[in-house]
Amino acid sequence: MTHGVQAVTRRDTLRKMVRQRQLYLMLLPAIAAVAIFTYAPLFGWWMAVSDYKIGKAIFDAPWAGLKYFIEFFTDTAGAGHVILNTVVMNVSSLILGLVCALAFAVFLKEVRWAWFRRLVQSASFFPYFMSWVIIYAVIYALFSNDGAVNATLQSLGLTNKAINILGNPDTSWGLIITVNVWNILGYNSVMFIAAIAGIPEEQYEAARIDGATRYHEIRHVTLPNLVPTLIVLLILGSGSIFNSYLDQFFIFTNTLNISTMEVFDYYIYRFGLKLGNFSYATAVGVVKTLVSLILLVGVNWISRKATTQSLF
Amino acid sequence: MKRRLTAFDVFNGLIMLLITVVMIYPFWYVLCYSLSDMGMTGGNKLLIWPRGFSFDSYQVAFQNATIVHGFFISFARSVIGPFLMLVVSSMAAFAISKNDLVGVKWIRRFLFFSMYVSAGLLPGYILIRMLGLTGTFWVYVLPGVANVFNIVLIRAYMATLPAGLDESAMIDGATYFTVFSRIVLPLCVPVIAAVTLYACVGQWNSYIDAQLYNYRNPELYPVQYILYNYIAVKAPTKEASAASHGLITTAHSLRMSVTVITTLPILLVYPFLQKYFASGLLVGAIKA
């Protein structure tokens, strides 16, 4: 009896699937592309636990155990500075980027003239849409040894030697953090501006009736309303503390500043594609991905417990 | 309730003006330099207006076949890439927006989970080589055709459309595909515009894929990669400073004009970018 019911349900399901065949067809390209370009490369993680040689089939490579992972955490002199560089630059960029964007959004709201508000917001977006090549070209034009800023400072007699910030180990972190905050300001502030627009006007009116000044309005109405947005963006960002844009670092890293500029993604590129050590570089990539995933889930969990704000 | 103009308003306005200048001036400087008369730009100081006026460096850029070809490649990838992405991603978004699709929960999980995993640079590199995409134009566009983030955005937008819309059409005998292409897609213009523009900018701005997969094929260099090579040649190393001065000056303004030309297409779509980008980002934020 139960068998009969099950058979009927299954037949119904099948009939339904046949009826929905066009939907499956429409899904097919996306599923195939995700399977090929996102999931299939995961098999490449085999390289991390085997001695892979370039040009050979991946699964012919002999088992190497955790050799390359141990090498990363113990032997290689280069690993420590890579972790430090990545974390310092990303954490600072994330926090400063969000705090500046929050402040920007708050003060932008206080601007009285709507046209000026629109103009400033349009301008704040601009660097975000530029490629890293363009950004570097522009920064190079201004700040290189023979760039405009140095030339101007020298002609005014403020310095006699060019100040080098693009190829100087002492300025890498500051340079990247500044550039990142500048680049992302408009993008980050969109979220805050939207959150501010969502604050009910009654809250401000109530505050004014209680005699609130503009400072009080910012402090007790605007800011508290932005905290949830800030937390969500912080959680989102925490998952990419170990990720950098190769586009960016490929161009900002040079032989002079590599000691303080090299990040995980550049390190993986250098060891894998430049030095040909695929197995080692893949192992580093695996560590990076797993730590990122754990971090995202962990921060999300803590945030859910502590503030009830979470992504999933 | 209108308030008096206070010192705070003036101060705040000045700060905002400063931010605007910081955002725009670096690009403005490059524009001024590129338009300056090369003979007159002895010693490059900060400019607020071109010194002299000449299109020479632009003429040099447009006479350079490599650069012109690079623009052609960049345009091609910025049109073909977003188009393919749009077809693949919007169809998928429509399908997973149907809650009664058999197995839709698993399909959604399969797609969404991919946003949180990445095998990394090298497994990706090996895959591209195994697929034979190295040294082809397709390496620029195919890996991005199924953009799951965009699928999520489009689906979120579709969820805001009135539900009865496609059901009545289906009763009238329309197929899923007709409903999608004739009814749903035209209503999704704002989100479609947002993801398309974003994809165009992404394609226009990419260069690292050319470095990774096509550096042996100069005929496939996008303009960003050509510009990268101009800059990389003059990386801030000791060797570069030793290069002859006259050569640098010419190369310098050429670099500036190519930078400006490369920025122009973004500038042209900028008003639209701004309009749709913010709204698209917010749909995503609400979704997240």
Side-chain angles (χ1 to χ4, degrees), chain B residues 40-62:
Chain B
M40 284 173 75
T41 45
N44 51 39
K45 300 219 184 83
L46 291 168
L47 301 168
I48 27 180
W49 204 250
R51 209 169 338 157
F53 192 85
S54 119
F55 274 116
D56 285 358
S57 60
Y58 288 89
Q59 212 167 5
V60 174
F62 280 117

Side-chain angles (χ1 to χ4, degrees), chain A residues 259-270:
Chain A
S259 60
T260 54
M261 189 60 97
E262 186 167 41
V263 290
F264 264 112
D265 287 282
Y266 190 83
Y267 184 76
I268 290 165
Y269 165 82
R270 187 162 68 90

Side-chain angles (χ1 to χ4, degrees), chain A residues 159-170:
Chain A
T159 60
N160 10 347
K161 244 189 91 208
I163 304 162
N164 180 7
I165 60 167
L166 298 177
N168 179 352
D170 297 330

Side-chain angles (χ1 to χ4, degrees), chain A residues 110-121:
Chain A
E110 299 297 323
V111 171
R112 313 269 299 242
W113 313 279
W115 65 270
F116 187 53
R117 245 190 339 255
R118 272 197 301 276
L119 177 85
V120 177
Q121 209 199 341

Side-chain angles (χ1 to χ4, degrees), chain A residues 13 16-17 19-20 22-27 29-31 33-42 44-45 47 52 54-55 58 104 107-108 110-113 116 118-138 140-142 145-149 151-152 155 164 166-167 182 185 187 190-191 194 208 212-214 217-218 246-248 250-251 254-256 265 268-269 272-273 277-278 281-282 289 293 296 310-312, chain B residues 1-6 8-9 12-13 16-17 19-20 22-27 29-30 43-46 88 91-92 94-96 98 100-103 107 109-114 116-131 133 142-143 145-146 148 151 175-178 180 198 201 205-208 211-212 224 227-228 231 234-238 241 248 252 255-256 258-259 262-263 266-267 270 273-274 277-278 281-282 285 288:
Chain A
T13 309
K16 203 169 164 192
M17 287 174 75
R19 197 156 40 79
Q20 294 172 331
Q22 278 199 341
L23 290 179
Y24 291 108
L25 264 175
M26 289 163 82
L27 266 170
I31 289 188
V34 168
I36 293 170
F37 291 108
T38 309
Y39 290 124
L42 289 171
W45 281 11
M47 289 191 288
Y52 173 74
I54 300 164
I58 285 186
F104 172 65
F107 286 106
L108 188 67
E110 299 297 323
V111 171
R112 313 269 299 242
W113 313 279
F116 187 53
R118 272 197 301 276
L119 177 85
V120 177
Q121 209 199 341
S122 297
S124 72
F125 254 112
F126 197 70
Y128 180 75
F129 290 112
M130 297 294 125
S131 74
W132 285 110
V133 177
I134 299 280
I135 288 179
Y136 193 82
V138 168
Y140 189 84
L142 285 168
N145 283 348
D146 48 0
V149 169
T152 308
S155 74
N164 180 7
L166 298 177
W182 171 74
L185 187 83
Y187 177 87
V190 168
M191 303 284 189
R208 271 171 220 154
T213 61
R214 256 157 127 190
E217 277 177 26
I218 292 174
L246 188 58
D247 291 58
Q248 179 184 10
F250 193 77
I251 201 160
N254 53 54
T255 50
L256 298 175
D265 287 282
I268 290 165
Y269 165 82
L273 295 179
N277 196 343
F278 273 63
T282 307
T289 304
L293 214 61
L296 183 67
S310 67
L311 299 177
F312 43 79
Chain B
M1 211 189 304
K2 199 89 182 154
R3 292 186 187 191
R4 271 188 317 119
L5 199 70
T6 60
F8 171 80
D9 285 315
N12 194 29
M16 290 297 147
L17 193 65
I19 291 176
T20 309
V22 167
M23 292 294 165
I24 300 299
Y25 179 74
F27 303 98
Y29 165 76
V30 170
N44 51 39
K45 300 219 184 83
L46 291 168
V88 171
M91 286 199 311
F94 176 73
I96 64 165
K98 296 273 160 282
D100 66 335
L101 178 67
V102 179
I107 297 168
R109 271 180 211 153
F110 176 85
L111 293 175
F112 297 166
F113 188 64
S114 73
Y116 298 99
V117 291
S118 155
L121 179 70
L122 298 164
Y125 177 84
I126 302 266
L127 175 88
I128 296 288
R129 233 178 36 179
M130 275 166 58
L131 292 173
L133 291 175
L142 286 184
V145 288
V148 178
I151 293 178
T175 62
Y176 280 112
F177 190 77
T178 325
F180 166 70
Y198 200 49
V201 173
N205 282 345
S206 301
Y207 78 98
I208 201 79
Q211 162 72 33
L212 293 176
Q224 302 273 358
L227 181 60
Y228 163 75
I231 301 163
K234 243 202 99 188
T237 54
K238 280 158 198 120
S241 317
I248 283 176
H252 212 52
R255 221 165 29 234
M256 302 282 194
V258 176
T259 304
T262 311
T263 313
I266 307 266
L267 210 60
Y270 198 70
L273 257 179
Q274 241 214 321
F277 178 73
L281 200 70
L282 294 176

Side-chain angles (χ1 to χ4, degrees), chain A residues 71-111:
Chain A
E71 199 180 309
F72 174 65
F73 285 111
T74 57
D75 290 357
T76 319
H81 79 267
V82 171
I83 298 174
L84 187 69
N85 293 342
T86 311
V87 172
V88 168
M89 288 194 266
N90 281 343
V91 171
S92 316
S93 301
L94 174 66
I95 294 175
L96 269 177
L98 287 174
V99 169
C100 291
L102 191 152
F104 172 65
V106 168
F107 286 106
L108 188 67
K109 180 201 175 285
E110 299 297 323
V111 171

